[in-house]
Amino acid sequence: MGNFKKSRSKLGFSSPSSILSKESTLGVQQHKEIIVLSGQSSPLGPSRLNDAVNFALFSKHATSVTLCLFWEYGNTGGRVEEIILDPQVNKTENIWHVCVENLPLQGVFYGYRVDGPQGWEKGHRFDKTSILLDPYAKFVEGRRRYGDFNHKCCQFLGTFDFLTSAFDWEDDHKRPVIPEKDMVIYEMNVRAYTMDDSSGLDEGIRGSYTGLIEKIPHLVELGVNAVELLPIFEYDEFEFQRRPNPRDHMLNTWGYSTLNFFSPMSRYASNGEGPTVASIEFKQMVKALHKAGIEVILDVVYNHTNENDDEHPYTTSFRGIDNLVYYMVNLKSYVQLLNFSGCGNSFNCNHPVVKELVLDSLRHCSLCRDTDGTPLQSPPLIRAIAKDPVLSKCKLIAEPWDCGGLYQVGNFPNWDRWGEWNGMYRDAIRRFVKGDPGMKSSFATRLSGSADLYNVNKRKPYHSINFITAHDGFTLFDLVAYNEKHNDANGEDGRDGSNDNFSWNCGFEGETNDFSINALRQRQMKNFLLALMLSQGTPMVLMGDEYAHTRFGNNNSYGHDSLINHFQWNQLRSKHTDQFRFFAGIIRLRRRHPLLGRANFLLEEDVTWHEDQWDNPDGRFLSFTLHERDLGGGDLYAAFNAHSYFVNTILPSPPDGKHWYRLVDTNLTSPDDFVEEGVPGVLGTYNVAPFSSLLLHAKA
């Protein structure tokens, strides 16, 4: 392994407590003198070389790199080693590397001091006094418990574990391979799902990967077959509290400011057990979901990191290692970091080195800007993901817009592989159901799978991820209970969050005891769900909507680790026989009926639109029939009435030998609002109530 040199501690820390917080101590190992060798440049991050540990770090512009090691914690403190890398010995092109013998193979924490050219105007942000987190660290050690104010300013360091046995996925483990046309996605937050006392779980596992495992039966009963998890990579929940500001009372609960793209969020481990246990429990969670027939989709955010902007920087990793490489910058501006994300910086994902980092992590992202911020028609990273031999077998979904004005719904560079969150679908469905004029044609287009956006090349209806609500924005209940956002609790005087919600409070702002208003709201929520599940494309529902969760009108709840975001299990139990029953029933119908969730776009003979006034802006009633043709399952007739009055509609004749059975009438109360086997006796007309919807099934 080449020449070597020995190095002793050069750091002036009196105890490890000034470096990081720990609630458990590692057993002190027998003291051995470490041996420092030149090492190798690949792979990046820590890796095992026989009984030694190799470290490799990329930095194109650094002039010096120092590896800082901390271990052997006990009652008398711990060992600290600082290894200065010699560029003549420990550098290959732009990779700094070193191999350390006699280093424990677990229980070691490490970081880097990196120095380089100074001068703000040059775009560098080197500071040799800072200890930086390795971008390729597979585990991150910091505070052990979420929201622990005693360790709010802890240091985040990398760690590794080369001794724990590989995770046992078991020989019969298989990831459910659910055809995209059959998916029903449930967007959820790991911590928020079980954090509330009402979950009934032990305090030590609430808000953890293990806690989610305990509540998988709910997902099975609801009928979803895929979960989309809000970010589960390491992030700092205290990011808003590093300095006095209007948001310094909040905790980051969504997780959209990533510290590291490899390490599962360590504070999602049960009982504060730390990063290694977090990794194991995360895999256990995935394994358990797979056994339940549920796929796992990770919401991975590569468009920005936690390191904020030039005005209020939070240098933890990329910024101090090589700012010019990892971020988009404009050297002609004093505030040099470009900010298309709206979060202070824009990760430079189409730089070759950064692209490889993304591909080397979970390889799932949605960025389409060049290194200077120019939108790309064929972004290298997106193509690489779509064509990668491993990733080509995964489901890929983009949220195709950013805060810089780049909006690519229907135009995302997709290579016929990427699905897209369809914001146009959300807006059109919201507007029609609440009774906006002139929306009938758009409503029909979105119900049909948004062929105007996706019927190009080899794309399919399921490339449209259809949603009414998501983590950002109103919940389903708030969509029908608030005309305006109510974000005062966020501390930004209501300036944050979208102003274009296309919501309707049904006659009163907020919660009310008025029976008629609440009945109307119940109908509207059912109307939205029925429209979503009847639409061609891939439906996605939001955690909590199955029991009408409210955030009290807050449409940007990213900073509230409270009942605003936490799943309320008591409310689920109280709504189990009405709203939840309807939700689960309609989802079950969606998954079972072959006319819903087609692999291809509707042909003219697949659907009959019972409409001859498409251009009438006052038309707020739409009905149509889906024909079984060669798919089977029986015809379906649907009608949506967004008028404020009854519409007595003439029904089409059912196919020969069959009769119409009523499956859904959202104007009826539970259990009559959805009857799975259908209610016979539907004759030639049907009086569709105001703001309600109807679904009939042709059966013999």
Side-chain angles (χ1 to χ4, degrees):
M1 288 186 280
N3 298 325
F4 67 89
K5 61 180 180 178
K6 297 180 181 179
S7 175
R8 298 300 302 140
S9 171
K10 292 184 174 65
L11 294 181
F13 297 106
S14 59
S15 74
S17 61
S18 59
I19 304 295
L20 72 164
S21 63
K22 283 186 58 59
E23 295 180 8
S24 61
T25 58
L26 297 166
V28 178
Q29 302 182 19
Q30 183 178 358
H31 183 91
K32 289 184 179 181
E33 191 77 8
I34 65 170
I35 300 174
V36 179
L37 309 175
S38 62
Q40 60 186 37
S41 61
S42 179
L44 291 172
S47 58
R48 182 174 180 175
L49 286 179
N50 299 318
D51 289 328
V53 180
N54 189 81
F55 298 86
L57 176 76
F58 169 88
S59 182
K60 177 180 179 180
H61 297 100
T63 57
S64 71
V65 172
T66 301
L67 173 65
C68 305
L69 301 169
F70 315 91
W71 80 99
E72 288 187 355
Y73 289 96
N75 294 331
T76 59
R79 290 187 62 183
V80 182
E81 297 282 350
E82 185 176 81
I83 303 172
I84 301 173
L85 276 60
D86 183 346
Q88 301 302 315
V89 177
N90 303 108
K91 186 181 180 187
T92 302
E93 296 183 344
N94 295 319
I95 308 296
W96 299 75
H97 48 80
V98 64
C99 183
V100 185
E101 290 188 345
N102 293 335
L103 190 66
L105 297 178
Q106 64 179 188
V108 175
F109 311 113
Y110 76 99
Y112 292 97
R113 296 186 188 275
V114 183
D115 201 6
Q118 301 300 304
W120 185 275
E121 72 284 352
K122 297 178 182 178
H124 299 298
R125 302 294 183 265
F126 293 109
D127 179 3
K128 63 182 179 181
T129 67
S130 297
I131 299 178
L132 303 171
L133 176 64
D134 180 5
Y136 273 80
K138 302 307 185 292
F139 306 100
V140 175
E141 177 68 63
R143 71 184 71 87
R144 286 294 183 94
R145 296 183 184 274
Y146 185 99
D148 182 355
F149 284 88
N150 293 324
H151 299 105
K152 183 164 68 172
C153 297
C154 73
Q155 174 82 46
F156 291 96
L157 296 173
T159 187
F160 48 83
D161 184 351
F162 298 120
L163 295 182
T164 299
S165 300
F167 183 77
D168 183 9
W169 289 98
E170 299 183 13
D171 293 339
D172 62 348
H173 174 267
K174 292 183 180 179
R175 176 176 65 88
V177 183
I178 300 168
E180 289 175 284
K181 70 180 184 65
D182 296 331
M183 288 178 62
V184 179
I185 301 173
Y186 185 83
E187 193 197 26
M188 65 184 303
N189 179 300
V190 169
R191 176 173 171 81
Y193 186 54
T194 64
M195 192 58 216
D196 195 77
D197 292 351
S198 63
S199 68
L201 302 180
D202 291 341
E203 185 176 0
I205 68 170
R206 293 206 302 263
S208 70
Y209 302 120
T210 301
L212 191 150
I213 293 173
E214 294 294 317
K215 293 296 186 178
I216 288 176
H218 167 67
L219 302 175
V220 174
E221 185 181 10
L222 181 60
V224 297
N225 54 19
V227 293
E228 181 166 334
L229 304 179
L230 266 64
I232 53 82
F233 286 131
E234 189 74 26
Y235 67 91
D236 182 4
E237 68 271 24
F238 282 110
E239 67 168 307
F240 310 133
Q241 300 190 27
R242 295 192 300 270
R243 58 182 176 81
N245 69 91
R247 304 187 298 164
D248 62 10
H249 59 291
M250 294 196 295
L251 294 172
N252 179 354
T253 188
W254 285 356
Y256 284 103
S257 291
T258 309
L259 275 164
N260 174 277
F261 293 110
F262 289 88
S263 174
M265 178 62 170
S266 61
R267 287 171 296 291
Y268 288 172
S270 60
N271 297 298
E273 290 292 337
T276 303
V277 172
S279 178
I280 294 171
E281 292 182 348
F282 171 74
K283 294 171 186 176
Q284 290 172 338
M285 178 194 72
V286 172
K287 182 177 175 180
L289 285 164
H290 285 175
K291 283 191 172 183
I294 298 173
E295 287 200 28
V296 178
I297 301 170
L298 300 181
D299 187 342
V300 184
V301 184
Y302 291 113
N303 70 343
H304 71 280
T305 75
N306 67 293
E307 294 190 299
N308 212 341
D309 54 24
D310 280 335
E311 185 177 2
H312 301 290
Y314 179 34
T315 303
T316 58
S317 182
F318 311 99
R319 180 183 178 91
I321 291 171
D322 206 326
N323 188 68
L324 274 178
V325 169
Y326 283 109
Y327 293 108
M328 299 180 190
V329 298
N330 178 6
L331 296 179
K332 297 179 181 179
S333 172
Y334 175 73
V335 179
Q336 294 178 343
L337 287 180
L338 298 176
N339 182 23
F340 298 109
S341 68
C343 298
N345 60 67
S346 295
F347 212 45
N348 195 13
C349 284
N350 287 312
H351 185 286
V353 170
V354 186
K355 181 186 76 172
E356 287 306 311
L357 181 144
V358 172
L359 292 172
D360 285 341
S361 64
L362 292 182
R363 304 178 178 189
H364 183 75
C365 110
S366 56
L367 299 181
C368 295
R369 290 188 183 272
D370 202 349
T371 56
D372 63 355
T374 304
L376 294 171
Q377 296 302 311
S378 183
L381 176 60
I382 305 304
R383 184 185 188 281
I385 294 174
K387 301 298 183 180
D388 184 89
V390 174
L391 294 175
S392 63
K393 301 174 183 178
C394 299
K395 294 179 173 69
L396 304 172
I397 300 172
E399 188 174 340
W401 52 78
D402 66 23
C403 291
L406 187 60
Y407 191 81
Q408 296 182 300
V409 172
N411 295 306
F412 184 81
N414 57 80
W415 285 273
D416 299 325
R417 285 283 299 115
W418 286 80
E420 299 174 19
W421 273 25
N422 190 345
M424 293 186 182
Y425 176 94
R426 171 199 60 205
D427 296 345
I429 303 301
R430 286 184 177 192
R431 294 186 64 188
F432 179 87
V433 170
K434 82 183 186 71
D436 280 0
M439 293 303 300
K440 183 168 18 183
S441 180
S442 294
F443 183 63
T445 299
R446 302 299 159 230
L447 289 174
S448 302
S450 297
D452 59 325
L453 301 175
Y454 300 108
N455 194 7
V456 179
N457 299 327
K458 297 180 181 179
R459 302 194 84 181
K460 301 293 183 179
Y462 51 72
H463 286 126
S464 173
I465 309 301
N466 299 332
F467 64 102
I468 309 295
T469 57
H471 67 274
D472 52 347
F474 280 148
T475 65
L476 190 61
F477 176 83
D478 290 356
L479 187 64
V480 300
Y482 294 92
N483 284 349
E484 308 293 337
K485 63 184 182 183
H486 295 265
N487 294 359
D488 291 344
N490 296 357
E492 299 186 57
D493 297 325
R495 293 187 300 272
D496 66 305
S498 174
N499 294 318
D500 300 320
N501 297 292
F502 303 119
S503 61
W504 177 41
N505 65 16
C506 298
F508 185 86
E509 190 75 355
E511 297 191 52
T512 178
N513 292 323
D514 187 292
F515 176 83
S516 61
I517 291 177
N518 286 330
L520 175 55
R521 289 174 176 175
Q522 289 295 322
R523 293 204 303 275
Q524 289 290 75
M525 286 190 285
K526 293 175 185 178
N527 294 337
F528 279 123
L529 181 71
L530 182 62
L532 179 63
M533 294 301 157
L534 290 183
S535 297
Q536 304 302 318
T538 302
M540 182 180 79
V541 297
L542 174 64
M543 179 184 84
D545 280 349
E546 67 267 37
Y547 67 81
H549 181 84
T550 180
R551 295 178 184 150
F552 311 102
N554 192 320
N555 75 347
N556 193 28
S557 64
Y558 63 94
H560 298 284
D561 185 45
S562 67
L563 59 79
I564 289 179
N565 282 309
H566 294 171
F567 195 99
Q568 300 297 298
W569 293 91
N570 287 337
Q571 291 188 33
L572 172 67
R573 287 186 279 271
S574 69
K575 300 286 185 64
H576 199 271
T577 58
D578 43 48
Q579 176 134 340
F580 176 82
R581 175 189 173 276
F582 185 86
F583 256 67
I586 300 301
I587 290 173
R588 189 164 55 248
L589 172 67
R590 161 77 186 205
R591 292 182 56 184
R592 291 180 177 177
H593 202 290
L595 300 190
L596 308 177
R598 299 169 184 249
N600 297 297
F601 287 97
L602 294 173
L603 301 176
E604 185 175 351
E605 55 266 33
D606 293 326
V607 59
T608 298
W609 299 97
H610 308 294
E611 179 60 55
D612 57 10
Q613 297 187 35
W614 289 106
D615 297 327
N616 181 1
D618 295 325
R620 295 175 174 85
F621 182 91
L622 180 66
S623 63
F624 60 94
T625 300
L626 294 173
H627 302 294
E628 66 173 343
R629 296 182 67 222
D630 56 346
L631 292 177
D635 285 11
L636 293 173
Y637 169 88
F640 290 85
N641 182 16
H643 286 291
S644 58
Y645 51 81
F646 279 87
V647 172
N648 193 15
T649 186
I650 299 175
L651 301 176
S653 298
D656 290 344
K658 295 187 176 181
H659 306 278
W660 289 123
Y661 285 69
R662 189 193 78 233
L663 298 180
V664 176
D665 184 343
T666 62
N667 185 52
L668 302 176
T669 58
S670 183
D672 297 322
D673 51 356
F674 172 71
V675 180
E676 189 164 8
E677 66 275 14
V679 177
V682 180
L683 301 177
T685 63
Y686 200 101
N687 207 18
V688 184
F691 296 108
S692 71
S693 50
L694 173 71
L695 182 65
L696 306 179
H697 185 201
K699 297 186 353 180

